[in-house]
Amino acid sequence: MGFELALSVEVVQGLAAGTAFELRGPQVSIGRHPENDVALEEAHVSGVHCRIVRDGDRVLLVDNNSTNGTTLARGDRRIRLSAEMPSTDLEAGDQIELGTGDAVTTLLVTLLDEGDERQVLSMTRLDALPNVRVREADPNVLTKLYAAQKRIGAAQGLEHVLIEVADSALELVPAATHLTLVLRDDDLGRGDTSTFVPVLTRVRSPGGAPVHPVGTVPVARSIYRKVVKERAAVLAADAPSEAFASESMMGASIRSTIGVPLWRGDEVVGVLQADNRNAPGMLTNNDVELLLLLASNASLAVSSARLIKRLSTIEVQLKKENSFLKGREEKRRGGGRETTIIGTSDAMMALNRHLEKVVDTRVTVLVEGETGTGKELIAAAVHYRSRRRDKLFVAQNCAAIAESLLESELFGHKKGAFTGAVDEKKGLFEIADGGTLFLDEVNSTSLSLQSKLLRALQEGEIRPVGGTVSKHVDVRIVAATNRNLEELVEKGLFREDLYYRLKVFPLRLPPLRERRDDIPLLATHFLARYSQEIGKPAAGFSQQALELLTSYEWPGNVRELQNEIQRIVIQLDEGAFVTPELLSPQIKKALGVVAKASVAKGTLREMMDSVEKYLLLETLREHGQNKTSAAKGLGITREGLHKKLRQHGM
């Protein structure tokens, strides 16, 4: 659908300030060259600086690769056109700025409505419909309306519903040659006539059957805008009203138009616009009544079809977003949904056994462990090994966001709930509905937020910030902490009832120094992962490098090991082995210990036993054979020290 431009351009800033141009045509050119429609003799204006063009029912401002640029100003909003965005929509009242800095020429644009010369012959307002319905007693009208209603009701999808409505209108009004359906774009707002957009035109073929038009069809916007503004059916024509008293004029080829509203309740949601173009006769008030009767039946069908399409679009979008989020999460975790926990040590095997017992229950899981031990990995394993794996796994570090925003992040908020809440927002509880929500560092939450978390856990209900109605959610909670929650409860920093609610099934994740047997497995895994990511193949670890990695204490646990291997791969020559000189200084300190231990060549296990035995003896000697003090110095429990001493026959 297209029509020519009709606009007024006034220079409000520049050498030609006060000059106005009234222009009509397919496009308007603006620039310094005298052949432009708006010619401006200013140095900062390019030869053809920009153009205003019609694109269907849109008016566009297009920058013509100007030297000093083009900016659209609309109220407080400014849009600078560029090579990436060379055009933007233009509306009445917009200002166009040519140039930049102090050298700017400003133009005020007024869009003129085409077709204003048409004479309105009659208007039938929506509240007059009861008087129109008397025509339903006409058997011929009833037959046609019944047939039209059956076709419209049987149509599947918005496009087919609109086609059936348009074709039925052409059948009911034989004098009409063109039928256009105009619908309100709800994404642009409600009530403003500029939000109504022509979406479909059907024309009468030479044989009389309705068909799609060939090429674009001009649409008189003034008619459907009047229908929306007046909330009435409108009959208009090109000739003055008194001319229609002449019988000869009635038989001439006079262009006349009917605009009939489609409505839902008190709202006008669209317009049915019928034209008689270059055909003998004209449209009459009887045709207006027929189209009003059709519109009263078709309005619901059109509104329902639009709603179904909108819901379907939203559903598809939600599925895509869900799929994207799950895919991104899985990719971030290194592949498949079955999250792999690397480790064959006794501690990790016991942890895996506990996981299998809890994954398909509804109980809350509390993962306890030092920073960097991989608590989020365990939480993800709880989710992806459970029946909830097809839903979202959502993680939130409670210490990584300001306390004032955390409640909104978790529970969502209503529009206007606080300064900056310009839109309604879903919280993570609602986003994770049906899936799993991981709350890392839950110990960082305030007491007031803890009470709301407790309600969400106990009742399965959340209330958005600023909301008055609770929502039910089905969310599996996995929480994690690197602090001793019992000590926080004793100090009054953590709610006791929430503590017991979270610790239904605790899982302790051991630090890396307590599972040294897993260090070679983890190091090899990270080496393969980062070699692939960076695109630098590695031959593996030298024996001495692996011994040093295994003997290091790793205060930062698995995360520190992961970062160490990533740094090594960056330094490593392609295809080379990881050797001790590539390790960080704090790890290479163990070289002296290995030398002092006089480790004989053998298997990795035999050599590590020798180093460990040496370290135990040296630590006991340093602490005067006090086992409690020695265990503390080694970072293990007294029972753990006794176990190691027994293993080495000491």
Side-chain angles (χ1 to χ4, degrees):
M1 282 156 257
F3 33 83
E4 291 191 338
L5 288 165
L7 52 85
S8 169
V9 177
E10 180 184 355
V11 182
V12 295
Q13 178 181 324
L15 296 178
T19 306
F21 304 82
E22 286 210 5
L23 305 159
R24 292 180 183 270
Q27 69 172 0
V28 170
S29 60
I30 303 172
R32 192 176 65 251
H33 197 281
E35 292 185 3
N36 283 292
D37 299 302
V38 178
L40 303 166
E41 297 180 2
E42 303 203 40
H44 58 270
V45 177
S46 298
V48 180
H49 196 102
C50 63
R51 294 175 294 117
I52 301 174
V53 300
R54 174 75 72 186
D55 180 16
D57 197 43
R58 301 166 63 199
V59 178
L60 300 178
L61 172 64
V62 182
D63 182 70
N64 204 50
N65 295 318
S66 61
T67 302
N68 296 308
T70 305
T71 302
L72 177 78
R74 182 179 301 150
D76 296 332
R77 186 182 178 199
R78 297 171 60 81
I79 303 170
R80 181 76 172 177
L81 300 184
S82 62
E84 292 74 25
M85 190 181 75
S87 66
T88 187
D89 285 286
L90 184 67
E91 298 178 3
D94 287 347
Q95 290 190 350
I96 302 172
E97 297 176 358
L98 312 179
T100 185
D102 295 330
V104 174
T105 299
T106 304
L107 312 174
L108 174 65
V109 178
T110 303
L111 300 180
L112 304 175
D113 208 358
E114 76 291 340
D116 287 336
E117 72 279 0
R118 290 195 169 197
Q119 176 71 42
V120 174
L121 305 180
S122 68
M123 285 200 303
T124 305
R125 301 190 181 279
L126 285 180
D127 51 18
L129 279 181
N131 298 325
V132 173
R133 291 184 181 276
V134 296
R135 288 185 56 88
E136 290 181 334
D138 186 334
N140 188 42
V141 171
L142 280 176
T143 300
K144 289 184 177 181
L145 284 173
Y146 177 70
Q149 189 61 35
K150 281 185 65 177
R151 292 195 302 271
I152 295 169
Q156 296 293 321
L158 178 61
E159 182 180 358
H160 290 102
V161 169
L162 296 179
I163 289 173
E164 291 298 343
V165 171
D167 290 357
S168 297
L170 288 173
E171 182 180 345
L172 283 169
V173 183
T177 59
H178 295 66
L179 196 292
T180 297
L181 272 160
V182 180
L183 296 180
R184 184 182 66 196
D185 188 338
D186 290 337
D187 291 332
L188 297 178
R190 293 172 179 263
D192 185 354
T193 58
S194 65
T195 65
F196 284 78
V197 181
V199 296
L200 174 76
T201 294
R202 297 280 280 178
V203 299
R204 196 182 300 280
S205 68
V211 295
H212 284 298
V214 177
T216 58
V217 176
V219 177
R221 291 187 300 166
S222 58
I223 301 299
Y224 69 73
R225 287 180 173 178
K226 195 167 192 68
V227 170
V228 174
K229 183 178 180 181
E230 301 293 340
R231 294 173 48 78
V234 174
L235 171 62
D238 286 343
S241 57
E242 55 269 18
F244 291 98
S246 165
E247 231 178 84
S248 60
M249 289 294 291
M250 292 288 288
S253 298
I254 301 167
R255 190 173 72 157
S256 51
T257 300
I258 294 172
V260 171
L262 299 170
W263 65 93
R264 183 178 59 211
D266 293 331
E267 292 183 291
V268 175
V269 297
V271 176
L272 197 62
Q273 186 161 312
D275 289 329
N276 175 287
R277 304 189 186 193
N278 301 320
M282 65 167 289
L283 303 176
T284 66
N285 281 320
N286 285 340
D287 297 322
V288 174
E289 291 190 5
L290 284 171
L291 290 180
L292 273 171
L293 289 172
L294 176 67
S296 66
N297 293 318
S299 295
L300 178 60
V302 172
S303 295
S304 299
R306 291 196 74 187
L307 178 60
I308 291 171
K309 182 176 181 179
R310 194 177 186 87
L311 291 174
S312 298
T313 302
I314 292 172
E315 183 180 14
V316 170
Q317 183 64 26
L318 287 174
K319 285 182 178 178
K320 287 181 179 178
E321 289 178 4
N322 199 345
S323 176
F324 168 75
L325 289 172
K326 287 194 291 184
R328 185 178 65 178
E329 181 64 24
E330 291 165 20
K331 184 177 180 181
R332 188 172 74 87
R333 298 184 185 285
R337 290 181 177 178
E338 184 64 24
T339 304
T340 303
I341 298 174
I342 298 172
T344 57
S345 62
D346 292 343
M348 295 308 292
M349 296 299 286
L351 180 66
N352 267 304
R353 288 194 295 272
H354 281 85
L355 268 178
E356 294 305 321
K357 294 176 181 178
V358 77
V359 289
D360 274 327
T361 67
R362 293 176 56 88
V363 301
T364 303
V365 175
L366 179 65
V367 185
E368 299 172 303
E370 296 178 6
T371 298
T373 49
K375 296 186 289 295
E376 187 172 345
L377 178 71
I378 300 302
V382 172
H383 174 76
Y384 287 114
R385 295 184 185 185
S386 74
R387 287 188 289 265
R388 294 174 179 260
R389 66 178 64 90
D390 291 328
K391 301 295 183 179
L392 281 180
F393 173 77
V394 180
Q396 175 61 51
N397 187 326
C398 298
I401 188 170
E403 177 63 34
S404 58
L405 298 176
L406 184 57
E407 182 181 352
S408 167
E409 193 70 19
L410 294 176
F411 303 113
H413 63 249
K414 292 292 185 181
K415 183 177 180 180
F418 51 84
T419 303
V422 294
D423 290 304
E424 185 172 329
K425 176 186 175 181
K426 284 185 178 181
L428 296 182
F429 269 90
E430 193 172 353
I431 291 172
D433 194 12
T436 304
L437 176 59
F438 173 53
L439 300 177
D440 197 7
E441 297 194 51
V442 70
N443 50 280
S444 300
T445 55
S446 67
L447 291 173
S448 61
L449 184 56
Q450 289 170 26
S451 64
K452 295 174 183 177
L453 283 173
L454 180 63
R455 174 178 172 80
L457 289 171
Q458 288 179 334
E459 308 297 334
E461 290 185 348
I462 59 168
R463 181 175 295 178
V465 178
T468 57
V469 180
S470 297
K471 298 180 180 180
H472 180 78
V473 291
D474 173 23
V475 178
R476 171 79 173 276
I477 297 296
V478 180
T481 177
N482 58 5
R483 300 279 303 278
N484 188 320
L485 289 186
E486 288 186 28
E487 292 181 359
L488 296 179
V489 169
E490 291 174 2
K491 295 177 181 178
L493 299 175
F494 201 86
R495 290 180 62 108
E496 186 175 14
D497 46 6
L498 178 60
Y499 167 66
Y500 288 117
R501 186 73 191 185
L502 290 174
K503 201 170 182 177
V504 176
F505 195 92
L507 291 172
R508 179 181 177 272
L509 192 52
L512 194 53
R513 62 183 174 274
E514 293 182 15
R515 43 181 293 222
R516 293 183 185 275
D517 291 350
D518 295 331
I519 292 176
L521 293 173
L522 288 164
T524 303
H525 167 76
F526 291 133
L527 183 67
R529 172 179 168 181
Y530 290 118
S531 293
Q532 182 179 8
E533 282 187 13
I534 298 174
K536 187 187 289 184
F541 292 93
S542 70
Q543 182 172 317
Q544 194 176 21
L546 206 55
E547 290 170 359
L548 290 171
L549 290 172
T550 308
S551 61
Y552 179 59
E553 287 296 301
W554 298 108
N557 294 295
V558 179
R559 185 181 296 127
E560 185 183 1
L561 174 61
Q562 181 178 353
N563 293 338
E564 175 71 12
I565 302 302
Q566 186 178 27
R567 186 190 61 78
I568 287 172
V569 174
I570 293 172
Q571 298 180 85
L572 192 66
D573 292 331
E574 191 170 318
F577 281 92
V578 177
T579 53
E581 58 267 20
L582 293 174
L583 303 179
S584 297
Q586 68 270 21
I587 299 175
K588 287 189 285 188
K589 285 180 181 178
L591 273 170
V593 175
V594 173
K596 289 179 183 178
S598 301
V599 178
K601 293 295 181 182
T603 66
L604 177 64
R605 182 67 196 179
E606 289 169 346
M607 291 187 291
M608 289 310 306
D609 284 345
S610 297
V611 172
E612 189 172 62
K613 185 176 180 179
Y614 171 80
L615 290 171
L616 291 171
L617 287 169
E618 281 295 301
T619 305
L620 283 168
R621 183 183 59 77
E622 289 173 4
H623 290 272
Q625 303 303 316
N626 185 318
K627 293 179 181 178
T628 301
S629 178
K632 188 175 181 180
L634 290 168
I636 59 177
T637 63
R638 194 173 190 277
E639 291 74 15
L641 176 59
H642 276 291
K643 181 179 178 182
K644 289 186 178 295
L645 291 174
R646 285 194 300 271
Q647 287 174 350
H648 294 291
M650 297 168 61

